[in-house]
Amino acid sequence: MNAAKDKLIVEGLRLRADRQAIDESIGAGEIVGLAGLDGNGQERFLEMLAGLVTPAGGSIGCRDDAGRTHAINSFRRAVSHGVAYLPRDRRASGIFPALSILDNFAMATVTRDCVAGLISYRRRRERYDHYRERLSIVAPHPREPITTLSGGNQQKVLLARALALQPGVLLLNDPTRGVDIATRKILYEVFRELSNEGMALVILSTEIEESLHLCDRVLVFRDFELASRLSGEEMSADRIIATMFGRDS
Amino acid sequence: MSERSATTGSGYRLARAVQRSVFSSAGFAPLLFVILLAINVWLNPARFAPAAWGTLLGLAAPLIGAAVASTPAFLGGRGGIDISVGPLMGFVNAIIVLVFIQMLGVSSPFVIVPAALLVGVAGGVVNAFLATILRIQPIVATLGTYLVLVGATLTILPAPTGTAPQWLSQLAGTWSILPLGCVFLVWWAICRTPYYDQLMAVGSDDRAAYTAGVPVTKVRFLSFVITGLFSGAAGLMLTALIGSADPAVGPTYTLIAISAVALGGVSLAGGRGSVIGAAIGAIDIFLLQSALTYLNVSTFILQISYGAILVLAIVLTALQDRYMEQRAQRAGS
């Protein structure tokens, strides 16, 4: 890990006030997995990185290309400093069922379609087409409601929405949940490409195989503490499961 | 595969999308509009002759204005509603005629129009503050302003009085298209800004809007301010029509405007519908009123028919929605 290329710097972060603090840094081009039994703090950790949950202690900083560090203390600040978050439950907190595919895509970046203060639908369409191609979104006319798409394609539109922010850090909360195999493969490929381009990715996954397949290293959480960091040879399904259940030491 | 079907079928898809957007944005109001218009023209051709359109539109204008004004607050969702639209129109009416024309002797449109809009915006800001910053339920917050405005109007103006200047009266006659046209132009411009997309997103699902980085509170705040601005404009149209200051007329517009909005396919839960739909709903109610008045039907029967048509239209829209949803799910899975 090269300190100059760190994107996210976590210092003394506490998931709960009475738990051990976490120091961690996530570098450019890294794919970091978060694992743990459900409700052991890994989701809260991700939400803290996104600025959605206020930490019980410590700080999170995001370093820009010029090397300055900005504290992340709200979701809005996180977004403005290039940290994008893809929520877990796309039906409850992701898509807008009443809106079109195009509007669903553009929602996080509406101001980028403006020409002299007014929205240019052509520009929005062009932006969408770029990501449609990149993520191979299979969709009818972009003016159709988003609910006409399959779950996998809805997820791709949400990913496109996050990518349209052109973030330096992408936080993914169980991105392949309820997604078919073909779409999964495409998503994995895209994640690798993004990391090759220098984006830092943090992926919370409920499937250990997925973390092993995709991530450079895995952070395993137990009881709202960081139980261990696994990478290289140590990264195996057995090891992760043992850590999750606290049988590792 | 999808590429090819998108290009060969694009014309068809576009036509279908346009058809759907008119229907889903205005429910059954356009259909009702055609039927009611035909009945009216058949009953009373002279009243609906082209030469009388100016006056006719002037008669309908305050209701259309009130319906349009009510819409933005609804679109913001999570119980967004402004029931103080009617009393605000009445308050604007009283301020203009009583304070500006009678007391100050000012009758220039360059003073009166901005003053009316400013009073409207001020009312909207108060509602916005109560409903989005203090987070009082919008129906309770605007009920408060409703009562305050009714009381304030009656205090400064216990009985009808005064006359409107001539330029203003003409805005309810020959030039009745002008104020409505301006309101639609402003809304059209709003629809082309990022704000409109954000408003629809907030109304559709505010949690999803928050995680997509939409400033939810700011967007809702502004929706009440826009409602206030349009209420000010509707107050001008009301003044133009009645040609004097009358404390009793304004408040009657609130409920009828809400009926028009619902009839026009605007979801009272937010995130769906359009100002055009609300306007068509208002015109429907006006045409119904016009036809039944011509037939000398009592006003009580008139009220019954408003209610019946409203419920029927909403049931039909709900059925249509369910059908669309099922079809979308079939297509999705």
Side-chain angles (χ1 to χ4, degrees), chain A residues 90-110:
Chain A
R90 67 172 168 271
R91 276 189 204 286
S93 59
I95 63 163
F96 303 102
L99 303 187
S100 70
I101 300 167
L102 197 58
D103 290 346
N104 262 285
F105 155 72
M107 194 46 68
T109 48
V110 274

Side-chain angles (χ1 to χ4, degrees), chain A residues 75-76 92-93 108 119 124 132, chain B residues 3 192 197 205 210-212 215:
Chain A
F75 182 65
R76 197 153 287 288
S93 59
I119 285 173
R124 179 171 290 184
R132 193 193 58 166
Chain B
E3 297 268 302
R192 296 296 309 270
D197 286 345
D205 185 335
Y210 181 75
T211 41

Side-chain angles (χ1 to χ4, degrees), chain A residues 179-235:
Chain A
V179 162
D180 57 281
I181 301 277
T183 306
R184 255 173 214 234
K185 281 193 175 145
I186 294 168
L187 288 177
Y188 292 161
E189 240 166 72
V190 171
F191 294 157
R192 286 218 184 79
E193 277 172 31
L194 291 169
S195 103
N196 287 337
E197 288 165 17
M199 195 184 283
L201 285 87
V202 182
I203 303 179
L204 187 156
S205 178
T206 45
E207 283 169 50
I208 293 167
E209 282 70 27
E210 186 171 282
S211 303
L212 293 174
H213 179 68
L214 206 56
C215 301
D216 302 320
R217 55 199 183 91
V218 177
L219 309 179
V220 186
F221 288 80
R222 193 176 63 238
D223 203 17
F224 293 89
E225 282 175 5
L226 179 55
S228 78
R229 300 178 175 83
L230 301 174
S231 61
E233 290 287 295
E234 298 175 313
M235 231 170 75

Side-chain angles (χ1 to χ4, degrees), chain A residues 52 75-76 92-99 107-108 110-111 114 117-119 121 124 132 140 144-145 147-150 161, chain B residues 2-3 13 16 20 189 191-194 197-198 200-201 204-205 207-215 271-272 328 331-332:
Chain A
L52 286 164
F75 182 65
R76 197 153 287 288
S93 59
I95 63 163
F96 303 102
L99 303 187
M107 194 46 68
V110 274
T111 48
C114 282
L118 301 182
I119 285 173
Y121 287 103
R124 179 171 290 184
R132 193 193 58 166
E144 300 274 328
T147 44
T148 56
L149 298 187
S150 67
R161 181 200 284 167
Chain B
S2 67
E3 297 268 302
R13 277 165 195 284
R16 222 182 53 183
R20 179 174 330 168
C191 287
R192 296 296 309 270
T193 63
D197 286 345
Q198 294 182 329
M200 295 311 257
S204 171
D205 185 335
R207 266 181 61 201
Y210 181 75
T211 41
V214 176
R272 242 201 45 202

Side-chain angles (χ1 to χ4, degrees), chain B residues 158-227:
Chain B
T161 176
T163 46
Q166 207 186 346
W167 64 267
L168 191 55
S169 298
Q170 274 183 352
L171 290 182
T174 332
W175 293 106
S176 59
I177 190 73
L178 204 63
L180 277 177
C182 289
V183 165
F184 283 118
L185 208 64
V186 168
W187 182 252
W188 178 81
I190 290 173
C191 287
R192 296 296 309 270
T193 63
Y195 173 75
Y196 176 74
D197 286 345
Q198 294 182 329
L199 177 65
M200 295 311 257
V202 167
S204 171
D205 185 335
D206 49 1
R207 266 181 61 201
Y210 181 75
T211 41
V214 176
V216 175
T217 304
K218 206 168 101 189
V219 166
R220 283 221 174 97
F221 190 96
L222 266 177
S223 76
F224 280 95
V225 176
I226 295 170
T227 286

Side-chain angles (χ1 to χ4, degrees), chain B residues 19-37 259-267 272-274 276-285 287-288 308-324:
Chain B
Q19 180 203 7
R20 179 174 330 168
S21 70
V22 166
F23 259 98
S24 66
S25 74
F28 281 82
L31 191 67
L32 201 61
F33 169 72
V34 173
I35 296 169
L36 285 170
L37 188 65
S259 324
V261 166
L263 188 58
V266 176
S267 165
R272 242 201 45 202
S274 70
I276 299 294
I280 296 175
I283 295 172
D284 284 351
I285 287 183
L287 289 174
L288 185 68
I309 289 210
L310 178 65
V311 170
L312 191 71
I314 287 169
V315 169
L316 286 174
T317 309
L319 285 177
Q320 182 199 17
D321 272 4
R322 200 171 298 173
Y323 168 74
M324 294 273 222

